[in-house]
């Protein structure tokens, strides 16, 4: 039986679009409802309890859109709130930390892995633990919080001289440590991958978990009998808690194909959690 309900995807802002794009590429027939909490971003500098509250509110909003799955397309929210969301949800919940961690562990050749993420994700230790779970014993893990990367991504400054300078400040210790694998442990960071690659050099493999997350989404839909029928034009709806024009201005060059359009404003803080 086909299930043509959409997949719900949320992030603190536009970073989750890096995951959404991979979902579209892998499952072009699946409908999606995306919520970017731009009005309350960033999450990466907020406390665990605040991120859990925001994430539950976002989930309740998506549930009202009759989604068949929730994708937490934000590493910080995945690190802090996955447990709370999966306990409270009636539909499968997908997080983005584990797929990237598994991929990094399988990629390194010299046993030196770097993780860049928000302060919240780094301090939670969740990413490091996830990589350790999959990596060979003795693997060295170097973490670095890169808070300014989020503002650069939201601003659309994906590869310019300011971005290069910020890359050099944050990434020099990882380069000096000789890592050969770098986890982009924040869904905003793939937007800056050109600048990051330029600084780190071709010898370092960048791990963007988006593709691996899309695979997990597909497997989970199949396992639960939730895949779509794939004949109708898929729904592609967008919501933001800030101004839709601002959201579309930054998102369009990234998503291409004139998307998103018709973005609606919604504040999820009206949900009591
Ligand atoms: N998208 C968030 C993440 O993946 C980062 C942006 C923020 O701090 O809100 O961690």
């Amino acid at each position: 039986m086909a299930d043509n309900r959409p997949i719900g995807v949320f992030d603190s802002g536009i970073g989750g679009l890096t995951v959404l794009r991979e979902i579209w590429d892998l499952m072009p027939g699946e409908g999606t409802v995306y919520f970017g909490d731009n009005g309350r971003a960033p999450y990466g500098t907020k406390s665990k309890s605040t991120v859990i509250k925001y994430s539950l509110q976002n989930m309740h909003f998506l549930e009202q859109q009759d989604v068949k799955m929730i994708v937490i397309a934000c590493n910080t929210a995945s690190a802090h709130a996955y447990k709370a969301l999966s306990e409270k949800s009636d539909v499968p919940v997908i997080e983005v930390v584990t797929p990237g961690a598994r991929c990094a562990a399988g990629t390194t050749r010299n046993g030196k892995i770097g993780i860049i993420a928000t302060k919240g994700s780094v301090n939670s230790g969740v990413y490091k633990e996830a990589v350790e779970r999959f990596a060979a014993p003795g693997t060295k893990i170097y973490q670095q919080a890169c808070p300014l990367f989020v503002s650069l991504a939201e601003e659309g400054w994906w590869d310019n001289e300011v971005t290069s300078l910020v890359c050099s400040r944050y990434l020099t210790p990882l380069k000096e440590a000789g890592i050969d694998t770098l986890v982009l442990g924040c869904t905003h960071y793939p937007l800056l991958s050109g600048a990051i690659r330029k600084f780190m050099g071709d010898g370092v493999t960048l791990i963007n978990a988006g593709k691996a997350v899309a695979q997990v989404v597909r497997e989970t839909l199949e396992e639960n009998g939730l895949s779509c029928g794939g004949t109708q034009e898929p729904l592609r709806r967008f919501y933001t808690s800030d101004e839709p024009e601002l959201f579309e201005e930054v998102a369009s060059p990234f998503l291409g194909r004139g998307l998103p359009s018709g973005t609606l404003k919604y504040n999820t803080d009206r949900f009591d959690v």
Side-chain angles (χ1 to χ4, degrees):
M1 258 283 280
D3 189 328
N4 289 329
R5 290 178 297 163
I7 298 168
V9 182
F10 80 85
D11 176 48
S12 57
I14 61 158
L17 299 173
T18 60
V19 176
L20 184 74
R21 191 156 92 164
E22 301 296 345
I23 293 175
W24 286 353
D25 283 352
L26 192 65
M27 293 156 281
E30 292 290 351
T32 53
V33 178
Y34 184 91
F35 176 72
D37 200 3
N38 303 71
R40 300 191 292 187
Y43 283 9
T45 50
K46 303 221 164 46
S47 68
K48 179 173 177 160
S49 60
T50 299
V51 173
I52 291 178
K53 180 177 145 193
Y54 289 0
S55 301
L56 284 169
Q57 290 173 325
N58 300 342
M59 180 176 89
H60 291 322
F61 168 65
L62 290 172
E63 281 171 348
Q64 280 195 348
Q65 311 304 307
D66 194 26
V67 299
K68 59 184 173 184
M69 167 182 276
I70 305 277
V71 179
I72 312 175
C74 171
N75 289 86
T76 310
S78 295
H80 287 321
Y82 169 67
K83 194 166 173 288
L85 266 58
S86 50
E87 277 168 10
K88 293 223 161 84
S89 173
D90 293 332
V91 296
V93 178
I94 305 295
E95 49 84 31
V96 295
V97 172
T98 313
R102 191 189 297 127
C103 197
T107 300
T108 185
R109 278 180 183 70
N110 72 1
K112 292 182 183 173
I113 297 175
I115 301 169
I116 53 174
T118 64
K119 276 191 181 142
S121 295
V122 166
N123 293 341
S124 77
V126 168
Y127 233 116
K128 189 163 180 280
E129 279 162 31
V131 174
E132 278 165 356
R133 221 170 33 248
F134 296 107
T139 301
K140 289 208 164 58
I141 299 170
Y142 304 86
Q143 294 200 92
Q144 174 71 48
C146 304
L148 288 178
F149 279 0
V150 173
S151 314
L152 293 169
E154 291 278 336
E155 192 62 30
W157 286 18
W158 299 337
D159 194 359
N160 66 18
E161 65 281 11
V162 177
T163 313
S164 304
L165 187 64
V166 177
C167 279
S168 131
R169 284 290 180 99
Y170 285 145
L171 303 177
T172 296
L174 299 177
K175 201 171 180 176
E176 286 176 358
I179 61 160
D180 71 351
T181 305
L182 179 61
V183 183
L184 307 181
C186 167
T187 51
H188 280 65
Y189 297 178
L191 292 160
L192 308 183
S193 53
I196 296 172
R197 186 170 296 115
K198 237 183 261 168
F199 181 78
M200 293 304 293
D202 289 337
V204 176
T205 306
L206 305 187
I207 306 291
N208 166 7
K211 275 197 175 37
V213 173
Q215 283 291 351
V216 175
V217 168
R218 181 157 80 176
E219 282 160 24
T220 310
L221 290 177
E222 284 170 3
E223 279 160 18
N224 291 278
L226 294 172
S227 303
C228 70
T231 47
Q232 85 289 15
E233 184 65 23
L235 175 79
R236 287 186 173 171
R237 189 174 293 154
F238 292 87
Y239 292 90
T240 172
S241 54
D242 205 341
E243 289 309 320
E245 301 75 47
L246 293 177
F247 177 83
E248 292 185 0
E249 209 177 283
V250 186
S252 297
F254 174 69
L255 282 179
R257 291 169 276 173
L259 285 162
S261 60
T263 303
L264 298 170
K265 185 168 180 176
Y266 194 92
N267 290 314
T268 58
D269 58 6
R270 64 191 73 173
F271 289 97
D272 269 337
V273 294

